[in-house]
Amino acid sequence: MTAIRRLAGWVLRRSILFVALVAALLIYRATRPSFESLAGLRESAAAMAAGGPALEGFARDIAARAEAESLAYHRLGREALDTRIAAAEQARAPLASACGADLPALLTRGAAGVIDNRRKCLTTAALTREIETLVALRTSLDARRPGEPLADALRRHAATMRVAAAIVRDAQARLATLNGDYVPNLLQRREIALQRARITGALAAHRAAARDARALIATQQGIAAARRRAAAISGEALARYRTLAKVRAKALSDNLLQRASAWAETNRLRSVAVQAAGAFLLIVATPYLIRLFCFFVVAPLAARRPAIRLMERGASITLPGPSAPSVGVRLATGEELMVRQDYLQTSSHAGTKRTRWLLDPRHPLTSLAAGLAFLTRIRGDGELTTVSAVRDPFAEVLLLDLPAGAALVLHPRALAAVAQPIDQPLRVETRWRLGSLHAWLTLQLRYVLFHGPVRLVVKGGRGVRVEQAEAGRVFGQEQLVGFSADLAYSVTRAETFWPYFLGREPLLKDRVAAGGGILVAEEAPLAGRRGGEVRHGIEGLIDAVLTMFGL
């Protein structure tokens, strides 16, 4: 069944990993175009914003150049005008579609394509102005002398018209005088004919000058109209460019990723991320730095401090046999047995049984906290009682005999039963060691001593082992549950560095110096706990408090 659960767990974990990989790939494929379009949008918006001033400068330059060139067109003759018109039309032909939509250029070539398109449109406007100006000048070519500017030609024709008008007025005045003579002579008739001829010639000259003036004015108007149309086309081209630049900028500002980027820049997210990363690294590294400090500074310092010795010399304690799932306790004459309710397996029917509220009434809190309350007291000479962990499948028990004069430091939680003389009850003594660094490092400031004569039934996960101190022993803090009170107890640093540094082993272990006493160790302290792990949270806090009080 365990193998099936492991296989199912392995398959489930791999399935979750596979689903996570598929989701990651889908998210990447879904967001990658967004990131790419954001990059292109950001690039095109920046390029168009930067290209606007340059494009406007190009428009001003090309308009100024066209204006300067138009001032010299009056010097061109008919053939030169025709040649110039043909060249301008040929140059304009490939640029005819440049003033259309910019979307194809934007999609194919980006912002550079739009800028190039607008430059071509501005060039087309300048060429169109040049063609229309040249055509207008060509229509009034007969009204001007070779190389004569329009303004000079207009002034000349205006002067001609004024002179002709003056001649007409003078001739008409003379005709009026001559016509007043009712009998004109021959000479007067000749004068009348002459004045009439003057009027006819002046009127013809006036009409010719007026015609040429009108042609020149039409040319000026055509040139002005060409200038206005070119300016309108250029203005429209620039306006469309500015509109497209605003559209791209708005699209960039409306983009969620760009908003996130702008928000990050506004809130200095990069700086915050760097600070958070530094704080995170410090938080992650702090436990390891503390471990380094504790391993190389605190632990060696603690090892050099004097050990804890609770009693100078005591009677020797005989080593018991190995622990077992159950142990039989036969009462001697004048003895009584006090056993936990959940460790009472079988008892003699003839024995006297009563409830013992506390193991030691002088230490009620210790008895209650260690679970040594509501005990079953059994009396009867020779009565046999079997002590076993009825509810804990991993616990084993061991019977330890403390003679008179012997004392054992023991966690009360490890007691399952006590057999004591009725007339000499168990003496429990507590001693504090607030001034010892070893006590503070192990957080055990109080030690509970059990004095003989008494027989103790000690329990432990997967068994209890009792051995001689001999040349000194080192135990894990969870394993050591008791030791002879005359032994020197201290802490020592873990034997290897890396298991401690990586959190696999504790920094300190219990050390008992050489002597004739015994050590009581629990084989597997975590065997009876769910999951076999150290408890955390409230349960861990309670365990720490119990350890502090030696329970």
Side-chain angles (χ1 to χ4, degrees):
M1 192 66 181
T2 303
I4 295 176
R5 283 199 299 269
R6 289 182 179 177
L7 178 61
W10 184 87
V11 172
L12 180 61
R13 289 193 297 272
R14 297 307 183 274
S15 301
I16 293 174
L17 177 60
F18 177 76
V19 172
L21 289 174
V22 172
L25 290 174
L26 291 176
I27 292 173
Y28 171 74
R29 291 184 179 181
T31 57
R32 182 180 176 184
S34 298
F35 281 102
E36 290 178 348
S37 62
L38 173 62
L41 181 60
R42 183 179 295 170
E43 181 181 356
S44 65
M48 292 192 69
L55 191 62
E56 292 180 358
F58 176 78
R60 288 192 298 269
D61 293 342
I62 199 170
R65 186 167 62 251
E67 184 69 24
E69 290 178 353
S70 66
L71 296 177
Y73 289 160
H74 65 277
R75 298 189 181 94
L76 301 178
R78 190 178 303 276
E79 293 183 0
L81 287 174
D82 291 340
T83 302
R84 191 68 179 264
I85 291 171
E89 289 178 345
Q90 184 178 2
R92 187 182 63 174
L95 307 178
S97 61
C99 292
D102 290 323
L103 184 59
L106 180 64
L107 294 177
T108 56
R109 293 181 293 161
V114 176
I115 295 174
D116 182 64
N117 210 33
R118 293 297 94 189
R119 290 172 68 94
K120 290 179 179 179
C121 182
L122 294 172
T123 304
T124 301
L127 290 173
T128 301
R129 174 186 175 180
E130 179 182 355
I131 293 170
E132 292 178 352
T133 301
L134 293 172
V135 170
L137 287 171
R138 190 176 182 277
T139 58
S140 63
L141 194 61
D142 295 334
R144 295 181 288 111
R145 294 171 182 172
E148 184 181 23
L150 290 175
D152 294 347
L154 272 175
R155 284 193 293 270
R156 179 170 59 81
H157 289 302
T160 301
M161 292 171 65
R162 287 194 298 272
V163 170
I167 292 174
V168 170
R169 287 194 300 272
D170 180 68
Q172 287 177 346
R174 291 186 180 187
L175 282 176
T177 302
L178 292 173
N179 288 332
D181 191 355
Y182 294 102
V183 185
N185 55 26
L186 180 61
L187 293 176
Q188 288 175 330
R189 290 191 183 96
R190 289 180 179 176
E191 183 66 20
I192 290 172
L194 178 62
Q195 295 303 322
R196 288 177 177 173
R198 287 182 63 198
I199 291 173
T200 301
L203 289 175
H206 189 278
R207 285 193 296 270
R211 183 182 64 251
D212 291 342
R214 285 193 296 271
L216 292 172
I217 292 173
T219 298
Q220 287 183 331
Q221 291 176 347
I223 293 174
R227 183 186 299 112
R228 287 193 300 271
R229 279 193 293 271
I233 294 173
S234 299
E236 182 182 0
L238 293 175
R240 291 178 63 179
Y241 181 85
R242 286 191 290 266
T243 301
L244 184 59
K246 290 180 180 179
V247 169
R248 300 300 288 174
K250 187 176 185 303
L252 180 62
S253 63
D254 291 342
N255 189 280
L256 293 179
L257 295 177
Q258 175 62 22
R259 287 184 179 181
S261 177
W263 178 86
E265 292 179 2
T266 302
N267 293 275
R268 296 186 297 177
L269 185 61
R270 184 184 298 274
S271 175
V272 173
V274 171
Q275 295 176 0
F280 174 77
L281 292 177
L282 182 61
I283 292 172
V284 172
T286 296
Y288 297 98
L289 296 176
I290 293 175
R291 289 175 186 175
L292 287 173
F293 177 76
C294 291
F295 190 86
F296 291 104
V297 178
V298 176
L301 179 64
R304 291 193 292 267
R305 300 296 297 170
I308 297 174
R309 190 183 295 272
L310 300 173
M311 194 170 69
E312 288 300 325
R313 180 174 296 180
S316 61
I317 303 173
T318 304
L319 289 177
S323 62
S326 62
V327 63
V329 181
R330 188 176 296 277
L331 295 177
T333 302
E335 270 191 329
E336 64 179 1
L337 177 67
M338 290 176 289
V339 59
R340 294 175 185 259
Q341 294 287 344
D342 51 352
Y343 275 80
L344 179 58
Q345 188 181 57
T346 62
S347 62
S348 174
H349 178 69
T352 303
K353 302 177 183 64
R354 295 287 186 273
T355 298
R356 178 69 176 261
W357 294 102
L358 296 173
L359 174 66
D360 186 2
R362 293 171 299 177
H363 299 88
L365 295 180
T366 299
S367 299
L368 289 172
L372 297 175
F374 303 104
L375 306 176
T376 299
R377 187 186 66 187
I378 302 174
R379 291 181 179 179
D381 297 343
E383 298 295 337
L384 178 64
T385 302
T386 303
V387 179
S388 178
V390 178
R391 300 178 183 176
D392 189 352
F394 299 99
E396 292 187 3
V397 290
L398 175 145
L399 183 60
L400 183 62
D401 189 2
L402 296 185
L408 182 70
V409 178
L410 185 70
H411 292 310
R413 63 174 176 80
L415 272 181
V418 175
Q420 63 181 6
I422 298 175
D423 58 351
Q424 191 177 355
L426 170 67
R427 184 165 69 93
V428 180
E429 182 183 2
T430 59
R431 295 187 182 181
W432 291 86
R433 288 295 182 267
L434 298 177
S436 173
L437 181 60
H438 300 287
W440 284 103
L441 290 176
T442 58
L443 287 180
Q444 184 173 349
L445 306 178
R446 179 173 174 264
Y447 296 85
V448 181
L449 283 71
F450 294 86
H451 293 269
V454 68
R455 288 187 293 168
L456 305 176
V457 179
V458 183
K459 64 182 180 70
R462 220 182 65 191
V464 180
R465 185 177 73 258
V466 180
E467 58 186 46
Q468 293 286 348
E470 296 180 349
R473 307 291 288 174
V474 176
F475 287 88
Q477 291 184 357
E478 291 286 340
Q479 287 183 300
L480 187 63
V481 295
F483 56 90
S484 296
D486 55 352
L487 292 177
Y489 169 76
S490 62
V491 294
T492 185
R493 190 175 67 180
E495 295 89 345
T496 53
F497 171 73
W498 286 110
Y500 157 71
F501 184 74
L502 297 177
R504 305 297 298 272
E505 292 289 339
L507 170 66
L508 301 174
K509 290 188 175 182
D510 292 340
R511 181 179 65 181
V512 179
I518 64 168
L519 306 173
V520 182
E522 188 175 1
E523 295 286 0
L526 305 179
R529 297 184 183 178
R530 185 177 181 181
E533 297 181 353
V534 177
R535 293 186 291 188
H536 301 281
I538 299 298
E539 293 180 343
L541 178 62
I542 293 174
D543 288 345
V545 173
L546 293 178
T547 300
M548 183 179 296
F549 286 92
L551 303 179

